[in-house]
């Protein structure tokens, strides 16, 4: 999803992103199938903060916050540490169509839901504080978000994970202008 917020512009190749001039760190916390542990995600967040990140995009979702069921979470602890240090944290709302954000409840976290190209809430999108382009999920060409993909290719993909980096890119632009939350 980094291609949505950070792909280079004016290079004659592929797509340009929301904030192509911003500096980016790609910190991988998920495996090839999109799975990962609470501990791995927490380590990734802590690493980004230690490396000086101003904005963190978490295109991770579909998991209700562990604290909602009384289970301690290293990820939630790492998010709190990042937010306490003034890092802007953008997170995908989740793809279960729930009337809530599937992220830890912290009013400093910006939860992003998905809209389709008609600006309607995507059928899969859970609620977010903000909505951004995330596609429709309908198996028709030009309905989803085009982004960089594996092996130097491009792919159209739907999801709130595609919506969140649009907002993260805008946040990076605002930070570059000296504006903060």
């Amino acid at each position: 999803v980094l291609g949505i917020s950070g792909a280079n512009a004016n290079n004659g190749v592929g797509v340009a992103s929301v904030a192509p001039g911003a500096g980016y760190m790609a910190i991988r916390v998920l495996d090839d199938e999109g799975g990962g542990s609470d501990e791995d995600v927490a380590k990734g967040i802590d690493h980004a903060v230690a490396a000086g990140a101003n904005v963190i995009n978490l295109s991770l979702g579909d998991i209700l916050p562990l604290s909602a069921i009384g289970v301690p979470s290293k990820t939630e602890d790492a998010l709190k540490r990042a937010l306490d240090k003034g890092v802007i944290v953008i997170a995908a709302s989740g793809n279960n169509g729930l009337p809530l954000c599937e992220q830890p409840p912290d009013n400093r976290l910006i939860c992003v839901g998905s809209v389709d190209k008609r600006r309607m809430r995507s059928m899969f999108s859970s609620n977010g504080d903000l909505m951004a382009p995330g596609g429709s999920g309908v198996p028709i060409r030009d309905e989803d978000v085009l982004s960089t993909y594996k092996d130097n290719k491009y792919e159209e993909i739907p999801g709130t994970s595609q919506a969140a980096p649009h907002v993260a890119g805008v946040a990076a632009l605002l930070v570059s202008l000296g504006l903060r939350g």
Side-chain angles (χ1 to χ4, degrees):
V1 297
L2 183 57
I4 295 167
S5 58
N8 289 330
N10 300 318
N11 62 3
V13 178
V15 298
S17 65
V18 175
Y24 290 91
M25 289 179 254
I27 300 171
R28 186 173 178 156
V29 298
L30 302 178
D31 62 26
D32 288 342
E33 284 78 44
S37 71
D38 180 49
E39 185 175 351
D40 289 340
V41 174
K43 285 179 183 178
I45 293 166
D46 287 337
H47 177 75
V49 172
N54 292 302
V55 178
I56 294 176
N57 176 67
L58 294 173
S59 284
L60 313 164
D62 299 342
I63 300 171
L64 289 173
L66 294 173
S67 63
I69 57 172
V71 176
S73 166
K74 292 179 181 184
T75 296
E76 290 183 47
D77 293 342
L79 279 173
K80 184 175 180 338
R81 287 190 296 274
L83 292 164
D84 288 347
K85 290 189 176 188
V87 175
I88 300 164
V89 179
I90 312 295
S93 69
N95 296 326
N96 293 311
L98 297 176
L100 51 84
C101 176
E102 299 176 40
Q103 298 293 338
D106 190 312
N107 64 359
R108 300 171 298 169
L109 178 123
I110 300 170
C111 188
V112 182
S114 170
V115 293
D116 62 21
K117 62 194 297 182
R118 287 162 284 290
R119 299 182 184 158
M120 301 295 295
R121 180 175 149 194
S122 304
M123 64 182 173
F124 54 79
S125 180
S126 294
N127 280 2
D129 302 313
L130 297 173
M131 305 297 272
S136 69
V138 175
I140 300 172
R141 186 168 163 75
D142 297 328
E143 279 291 320
D144 297 324
V145 178
L146 182 66
S147 182
T148 54
Y149 199 67
K150 300 182 226 177
D151 301 322
N152 294 318
K153 295 181 182 173
Y154 294 87
E155 189 78 29
E156 281 189 40
I157 304 171
T160 59
S161 288
Q162 282 61 46
H166 284 93
V167 175
V170 171
L173 289 171
L174 293 171
V175 167
S176 76
L177 297 172
L179 301 171
R180 294 194 67 89

